[in-house]
Each structure stands twice: as structure tokens, then as C-alpha cells.
Amino acid sequence: MKYSQLFGKTQRQTPKDETSVNAKLLIRAGFIDKLMAGSYSLLPLGFRVVGKIEQIIREEMDKVGAQEILMPLLHPKAIWNETGRWETAKEVMFQFKKDKKEFALSFTHEEILLDLVRKHVQTYHEFPLKLYHFSTKFRNELRAKSGILRAREFLMKDLYSVHTAEKDLDKYYWEVADSYLKVFKRVGLEAKIVEAAGGVFTRSHTHEFQVLSEAGEDTIYWCDSCDFAQNKEIAQGKSGEVCPKCKKGKIAESKSIEVGNIFRFGTVYSEKMNVTYTDRDGKKKPAYLGSYGIGVTRLMGTLVEVSNDEKGIIWPEQVTPYQVHLLVISDKSQVISQAQEIYQKLQKAGIEVLFDDRKDVSAGEKFADCDLIGIPVRLVVSDKTGKGKVEWKERDKGKVEILTIDEVIKRV
Ligand SMILES: [Zn+2]
């Protein structure tokens, strides 16, 4: 991609109305645009990052046997009345009237999924069901101040599983928990699995995935030597105490960002919505529901919060919008055409390249933009590099090397 053609350029000014690091950097670097508080467009660079995150999630969902679908965002009031959530979730839902009928915009999909199940599945041998989708969620956030960490409209992956026995749900619940840890690791985040309160359910029925960060709105207690972690809202211990699990480690207290959550709803909603199946004994029984979410756009925001410096973003290579950022620093037509050749050669080798081909832009500006955008590898072609060679520098390192194109291709 030639930077001169790319929609969404860098900005020098920090947006005045943004306080969060993720929104400031993503807006300045040209990844997102703000429509209003809590509502952002993904520009091409941001869309590419989100696309890579989605693909990692999709691969891990396939590994736990889930099938991808797509459910509607516009829901009738009647379906939310079946579980009572039209009233109990009123504050968080966007509800409205049109031509005397009432609707809501999706804030989650348990009811819609269970409606699919009762229409399409009848007997025990058709279970378990594991269905997921990527879709927009709407939440009426009163304080939308954390950029894309807490937006009114955001992209989420939600998986639902439906089982005929509680122990099957439990088994799958922990399979998904493992799969989520793999997802976070693959996108470049270290997430902790944390016991959580989860509203009306006891803490053993729900877990959160939390990434340590000062930007987080949650506080967790975690052990410095084992995997024990609890949300402060429910925690029984205190920081500095000995870990109740391993009896060795010390409990630390940290701010954290919630990047995923998993719930075991059991038969609560199935009973209300009459989602039953015919068992081996011929009797109708309610199905067991599990629900598992990952905030996809929130993951992008979290990556920016935990991986940046005073110059800009530092993308992990798994989700970077482009693998290398090629800069040409010269007025000489010979050097410019050399850079163009290198750009084509890299692309032919299957490498994703952002090529800063702009004229009338100073070297200093190009370097600053490159650091702000945060692609892991910077390649520079200049009067000094010599024919067929480029200067290689990694975003998070100071070392500069001169390499041939073949060496670059090998390394990337
Ligand atoms: Zn411990």
C-alpha cells in the first residue's frame, strides 16, 4: 500500500476531547475516527488490525468445534420479554419505538441464539451446539471516556454453547477458557483468568480475562507465583497476603482491562424461553447454556494501551496492519525508482508493505509518522543505502543494519 494513497493520515495534534492513550494514539496515527463519544469508525489501518485479530479468534473457535453464523442486530421487544431482560437490562440497552412497535439494538445475543435452538433442534443427539459470530454490540455507556475500551458501539465475538448435561457444559467451558488464553497470547497480550462476580450468578459460574494495565477500569488481586486471580469486587483476601491457592506466592493488586468473559448460565434462560429437547427417556428437558465473549475492538485498544512509547504505537507482529514500513528518503529519481523496485519485490515475496512514497515530506516527518503508526519493521531507502540494499530497524530497538532485499525477505 502506498502511503500517498492510503485513506486516513497521521495528525500532529492530539485530539482535545480524548483522555485515553488508546484513542489519542489511534486517532493521531490514522487508525480510527471519532463520530461522537463512544462511537468510532475503523479506517483502513484499524480495519486491517481488527481483521487480523478476528482471523486469530476464528482459527481458535474452529479448533473448539464452533460454527460461525451471523445474527441480527435489530431485535423485537417480545423476545427480550421472554427472559425479562427488556426491563432488567433497560439501562444498558438502546430501546426505541417505530410505527407503534418496540425494538432494541443488540447488546448481547443469548435470547436470539436460544430462539434459533428451539426452532432448529429437537432431540438429544443433535447436541451439543457451539455457535459464534462477530457482530456489533450497542451499550448505553453513560461514561464513554476510555476510547475504544468502552464504546457505545463495538465489535465483539460471542460464542454460545448448548448442552444436555451440566457436566458437558462445564467441560466445554474450560475448553473455551483455554482457547481464549491462546487467542490473547497469539494477539500479543498476557491475560489472566480471573474469578468474577457476574451479577446474580455465583463466582464459580463466571470468569473474566484481564490484562494488567493502568488504563483498566477493573482492579484484580493476583498471585505472583501461580495462576490465582480474583476481581476486587468479590475478592476475599487483600494485597500483600499469602496466596490462598499455592500458599507460597504473594497477592498483588493491579488495575486491569477486561478483554473477555465466560458465563455458565445453566438452564435459567432455557426454562424461561422453553428451550427443551427430547431426552433418551422420551421426556422434555431444558438445555444448558454457556456464553463466551471477546471484545474485538477492545483488544485493539488494549494492545495500544500496553504497547506504546512517547513516539507512538508498537504493534506486535501478529496483528500489525503491515509487516514492514518502507520509507524512501531522497530527491533523486534513481533512488526513488530503486525504492519502488524494492516495494514490488517485497510484495511479490508475499510481504505486506506500507510504502511511504510521499514527495515534499521531510525525512523527519516520515520517521515520526513511522514511529507513530508503529509497524514492527522500518526499512529505509536513501542516498546512503546503496543499490539493492535497505536500512533495517525494528520499532522497539535502536539497532540499525544495512541488509540486502533477500536478507529482508528471509527475516520477515
Ligand atoms: Zn498462588
Side-chain angles (χ1 to χ4, degrees):
M1 181 76 212
K2 289 185 175 168
Y3 193 72
S4 60
Q5 310 290 307
L6 181 75
F7 181 74
K9 295 286 197 291
T10 56
Q11 299 171 18
R12 287 283 158 263
Q13 298 299 323
T14 300
K16 283 195 188 78
D17 53 347
E18 292 285 3
T19 51
S20 68
V21 170
N22 73 87
K24 282 184 196 169
L25 285 177
L26 287 167
I27 290 171
R28 278 188 52 215
F31 285 71
I32 62 171
D33 177 86
K34 184 183 193 173
L35 176 64
M36 61 175 177
S39 183
Y40 298 88
S41 294
L42 291 176
L43 304 182
L45 286 178
F47 193 71
R48 284 182 75 90
V49 172
V50 166
K52 288 191 177 181
I53 294 172
E54 274 189 8
Q55 189 50 31
I56 288 171
I57 296 174
R58 191 171 277 122
E59 286 167 17
E60 295 302 329
M61 289 298 96
D62 288 350
K63 285 183 200 161
V64 292
Q67 296 176 56
E68 189 168 359
I69 58 171
L70 185 58
M71 293 180 273
L73 304 182
L74 185 64
H75 305 162
K77 179 181 181 179
I79 198 150
W80 289 99
N81 271 340
E82 289 191 48
T83 57
R85 287 213 277 186
W86 182 268
E87 285 304 321
T88 57
K90 208 170 195 144
E91 297 213 340
V92 75
M93 276 168 107
F94 282 103
Q95 303 177 335
F96 61 96
K97 206 177 237 180
K98 180 78 183 165
D99 301 332
K100 292 180 186 163
K101 283 183 184 159
E102 287 185 275
F103 300 92
L105 292 176
S106 138
F107 85 101
T108 184
H109 276 87
E110 282 85 11
E111 282 80 349
I112 316 306
L113 189 283
L114 285 174
D115 181 60
L116 282 177
V117 174
R118 70 183 167 190
K119 285 192 284 202
H120 293 271
V121 183
Q122 274 95 38
T123 56
Y124 69 91
H125 55 75
E126 293 168 280
F127 290 87
L129 298 165
K130 300 153 186 176
L131 300 166
Y132 74 100
H133 73 165
F134 290 94
S135 86
T136 299
K137 297 281 182 281
F138 297 87
R139 293 197 186 166
N140 184 27
E141 297 288 355
L142 296 175
R143 287 177 60 254
K145 279 184 180 169
S146 302
I148 60 168
L149 294 185
R150 185 173 286 281
R152 294 198 168 99
E153 183 179 337
F154 55 94
L155 191 62
M156 189 166 164
K157 187 286 304 175
D158 32 337
L159 163 68
Y160 302 89
S161 71
V162 190
H163 308 260
T164 57
E166 193 163 18
K167 69 173 191 326
D168 287 342
L169 170 59
D170 286 350
K171 188 168 166 276
Y172 193 65
Y173 182 84
W174 291 111
E175 246 178 75
V176 175
D178 272 349
S179 151
Y180 272 27
L181 289 174
K182 280 180 198 147
V183 166
F184 299 129
K185 200 168 184 188
R186 284 185 65 188
V187 302
L189 289 171
E190 206 176 298
K192 292 184 182 300
I193 180 160
V194 177
E195 292 177 2
V200 294
F201 301 98
T202 61
R203 75 161 187 258
S204 62
H205 289 85
T206 173
H207 289 81
E208 295 163 348
F209 295 82
Q210 300 271 2
V211 173
L212 301 188
S213 164
E214 273 307 305
E217 294 177 344
D218 284 291
T219 303
I220 62 164
Y221 288 136
W222 55 282
C223 172
D224 62 7
S225 79
C226 78
D227 62 0
F228 175 83
Q230 285 184 334
N231 196 307
K232 191 178 179 178
E233 284 175 29
I234 51 138
Q236 292 140 347
K238 272 195 218 107
S239 64
E241 285 181 358
V242 175
C243 170
K245 188 174 171 183
C246 67
K247 319 277 185 204
K248 281 192 312 209
K250 247 192 186 165
I251 299 298
E253 179 180 343
S254 302
K255 289 255 186 205
S256 61
I257 303 170
E258 185 188 339
V259 287
N261 50 33
I262 53 178
F263 298 92
R264 278 174 286 194
F265 285 115
T267 59
V268 177
Y269 292 147
S270 308
E271 283 172 29
K272 286 181 177 168
M273 291 182 69
N274 199 25
V275 183
T276 58
Y277 66 96
T278 308
D279 207 352
R280 287 178 176 79
D281 55 12
K283 285 183 182 152
K284 281 198 184 299
K285 293 173 185 172
Y288 291 82
L289 175 70
S291 167
Y292 319 84
I294 291 180
V296 179
T297 34
R298 183 183 278 203
L299 271 191
M300 177 164 81
T302 306
L303 282 164
V304 175
E305 290 287 347
V306 301
S307 185
N308 67 74
D309 62 13
E310 69 288 351
K311 292 174 183 166
I313 305 167
I314 305 170
W315 292 108
E317 60 187 37
Q318 306 89 312
V319 298
T320 179
Y322 290 89
Q323 290 168 289
V324 300
H325 197 153
L326 176 66
L327 276 61
V328 57
I329 309 290
S330 181
D331 297 328
K332 294 181 186 159
S333 60
Q334 203 188 341
V335 178
I336 293 168
S337 66
Q338 262 182 46
Q340 272 158 355
E341 273 172 40
I342 289 168
Y343 171 55
Q344 277 155 13
K345 208 168 171 186
L346 290 171
Q347 282 189 311
K348 263 193 198 140
I351 295 168
E352 303 160 353
V353 190
L354 183 62
F355 176 30
D356 195 341
D357 60 330
R358 290 174 296 173
K359 290 165 186 149
D360 312 319
V361 174
S362 73
E365 275 178 82
K366 285 191 178 183
F367 286 130
D369 282 347
C370 180
D371 283 339
L372 176 59
I373 292 168
I375 291 168
V377 175
R378 185 185 81 189
L379 300 176
V380 176
V381 178
S382 72
D383 300 352
K384 291 184 284 181
T385 44
K387 198 173 177 348
K389 290 188 174 174
V390 290
E391 183 193 288
W392 165 292
K393 187 193 163 295
E394 288 165 38
R395 174 65 179 82
D396 57 348
K397 294 189 181 78
K399 193 179 163 192
V400 175
E401 297 168 81
I402 302 291
L403 300 180
T404 66
I405 301 312
D406 289 337
E407 285 169 328
V408 168
I409 291 169
K410 231 183 212 173
R411 272 202 198 179
V412 176

